[in-house]
Amino acid sequence: MTSYSCLMRPALAALATVLAVSLAAGVTGVAAATPICGAPVTAPDGASMSVCLTRHPATLDNVSGTAGTYTAQVTVTGLGGTDTVGCPGQRAMPTLCVTFAVDGAYALTDLFPSAGPDPSTDVYSFALHPAFEAAGSHQVSATAYLDGAPGSASVPLTVTGDPTPVLPASPNTGQVPSSAQTVVTVAAVGDGAVGTSAEAKVEALMAGWSPDLVLYLGDVYQQGSFEEFLNFYAPAKLFGGLATITAATPGNHEYLDPGAEGYFWYWDYLSGAPDPGQPGRGAAYYSFDLPSVGWHIISLDSEIDHTAGSAQVAWLESDLAAHPAPCTLAFWHRPRFSSGKIGGDASFGNFWTPLAAAGADLVLNGHAHDYERTRPLQTDGTVAATGGMVEVISGAGGDDHGAWAAGRRPSWEAARDNVHFGAARLTLEQGQALEQFVGVNGTVHDAATIPCH
């Protein structure tokens, strides 16, 4: 693949199960093509797996940019209790994982199927965008793993047009949203850009609020590649339907794509602080005001240097000094506090310390695949007698739920939920925020009033 990025995702594997993985461009009425099959893989106990890959069409043009469709069918037979299916480096689960690549470079992983034509078939969708490929001959491959051994199939692809394509323009304006409403409705969620029906339901939930602002709290799965942004975030029925009013922060999955290229390309932020590591490519961290309600909003990057004295922390301190707003909200991906199995990260005390010193009120995070709200806290996690910041984790956006850590619930926790998919709904007013966790069926599972101080 041209030097941008790409690839990976799993599906349910059972005895004698056939999983069809479809990388689709939304094309209907496509004539059937002949699949190309790779050599089968056999495990020591006799289990076997074969991968077949079908393309449509055989030629794509990188100038017109019309996407192509790829369908991989993976057949697993004789699977025993000691057999494992999955991809190295992916989450541990007993499910099939199919990796798609262009010329060996990662393109996309699809973990969650849509319904197939019969109970033994699952269908996964992916649109391959030729605008990211140079004109010439390429190979598109699909790879699955049985007991750690790869089974693959590949088909040729011809791309016409520009032999040295430039990166296509971002689908977004590069500007963070603004609002002049006297009451600002904010939808906040992370960990959902995975292409699932749950993600679509969360998007529909948030869209139904007619929000003035959406905060995306990070993670476009699995590696935040260009194709994953275009397939799992950008579609109108997914979070892309709210992109024009969204302010985002990158998660750890976006940085699995070197330099988080997909993230910075998709959002193309022009305002705020430029990334000191790559000047001119946009803001890794930035801020903006909602003056009609007296709130200052700060987006930070949990995946780059945030040590005391780092460029990011120095910028945060300067930003807080320059914007002594009555109310302040900061958001980034990994939480300082979490009772989830994934745990909190004490290094983000380097964000909490200047925020607390400036009298900030609310922190939003993702990363943990759950919802959690703390009591007002000091930087060390003790419950504040006065003041303190409330942290809300809103990571139930559509990927699988996370488990809670074993042991007693921490004293700083006010509410938690790892059962429902949903989003945090914030109503920002002068002097306070009303916060709710709302499930995709519209049920309010938690609510709190957070005063500014």
Side-chain angles (χ1 to χ4, degrees):
M1 182 167 189
T2 306
S3 61
Y4 305 139
S5 56
C6 279
L7 195 212
M8 306 186 86
R9 281 191 164 256
L12 226 70
L15 187 65
T17 295
V18 176
L19 299 182
V21 183
S22 171
L23 289 74
V27 179
T28 57
V30 174
T34 302
I36 296 176
C37 300
V41 175
T42 302
D45 65 357
S48 67
M49 178 186 71
S50 62
V51 180
C52 299
L53 181 60
T54 306
R55 69 185 178 195
H56 183 87
T59 301
L60 299 173
D61 185 76
N62 65 12
V63 177
S64 68
T66 302
T69 302
Y70 287 80
T71 302
Q73 181 169 293
V74 181
T75 304
V76 180
T77 59
L79 195 65
T82 60
D83 293 310
T84 60
V85 287
C87 293
Q90 301 299 295
R91 70 182 90 189
M93 55 168 67
T95 54
L96 181 67
C97 179
V98 178
T99 296
F100 296 94
V102 180
D103 298 332
Y106 182 90
L108 178 143
T109 299
D110 198 351
L111 292 169
F112 295 97
S114 55
D118 61 64
S120 67
T121 302
D122 292 330
V123 176
Y124 294 70
S125 295
F126 165 55
L128 175 63
H129 297 81
F132 297 103
E133 310 300 335
S137 298
H138 302 276
Q139 289 285 322
V140 179
S141 63
T143 303
Y145 292 80
L146 174 63
D147 291 349
S152 300
S154 63
V155 295
L157 166 67
T158 299
V159 175
T160 59
D162 192 342
T164 56
V166 297
L167 192 65
S170 170
N172 292 297
T173 64
Q175 300 292 337
V176 293
S178 61
S179 175
Q181 301 296 318
T182 55
V183 175
V184 174
T185 300
V186 180
V189 75
D191 306 276
V194 70
T196 61
S197 60
E199 177 191 355
K201 290 176 182 178
V202 172
E203 191 279 340
L205 170 75
M206 297 191 300
W209 301 337
S210 299
D212 303 293
L213 173 65
V214 174
L215 302 180
Y216 190 68
L217 306 176
D219 274 359
V220 174
Y221 297 97
Q222 275 293 7
Q223 297 190 22
S225 68
F226 294 105
E227 292 290 11
E228 286 167 336
F229 265 95
L230 291 175
N231 281 270
F232 298 147
Y233 196 101
K237 69 177 181 178
L238 302 179
F239 295 140
L242 299 168
T244 59
I245 56 170
T246 296
T249 186
N252 55 298
H253 281 266
E254 284 87 324
Y255 274 92
L256 293 176
D257 179 28
E261 283 187 294
Y263 171 87
F264 287 102
W265 167 76
Y266 183 77
W267 292 112
D268 190 32
Y269 287 128
L270 303 177
S271 58
D275 182 341
Q278 300 190 50
R281 76 164 182 172
Y285 38 90
Y286 57 92
S287 70
F288 57 100
D289 288 317
L290 298 173
S292 62
V293 289
W295 279 81
H296 183 59
I297 313 296
I298 303 171
S299 175
L300 298 168
D301 189 337
S302 65
E303 306 309 303
I304 63 174
D305 189 4
H306 54 275
T307 56
S310 65
Q312 183 171 200
V313 171
W315 173 88
L316 173 60
E317 293 168 345
S318 297
D319 181 79
L320 289 166
H323 300 89
C327 305
T328 298
L329 179 159
F331 68 103
W332 62 89
H333 183 60
R334 298 180 193 247
R336 168 68 181 87
F337 303 101
S338 170
S339 65
K341 204 169 183 179
I342 200 166
D345 188 332
S347 71
F348 295 108
N350 293 322
F351 288 165
W352 272 69
T353 297
L355 286 165
D361 309 286
L362 180 59
V363 170
L364 298 179
N365 302 120
H367 195 53
H369 294 191
D370 53 48
Y371 169 83
E372 189 166 25
R373 176 174 58 86
T374 73
R375 305 180 193 281
L377 299 180
Q378 307 288 5
T379 301
D380 63 0
T382 57
V383 177
T386 59
M389 291 190 296
V390 172
E391 178 199 85
V392 171
I393 296 173
S394 181
D399 199 4
D400 56 347
H401 285 102
W404 303 119
R408 291 182 57 189
R409 294 173 64 168
S411 60
W412 46 255
E413 182 186 83
R416 69 182 186 181
D417 186 319
N418 69 345
V419 176
H420 301 96
F421 290 111
R425 175 174 177 165
L426 303 169
T427 303
L428 302 184
E429 304 174 346
Q430 292 282 351
Q432 67 176 12
L434 308 177
E435 191 271 334
Q436 298 175 319
F437 174 56
V438 186
V440 292
N441 66 354
T443 301
V444 176
H445 298 288
D446 180 49
T449 298
I450 301 168
C452 301
H453 50 270

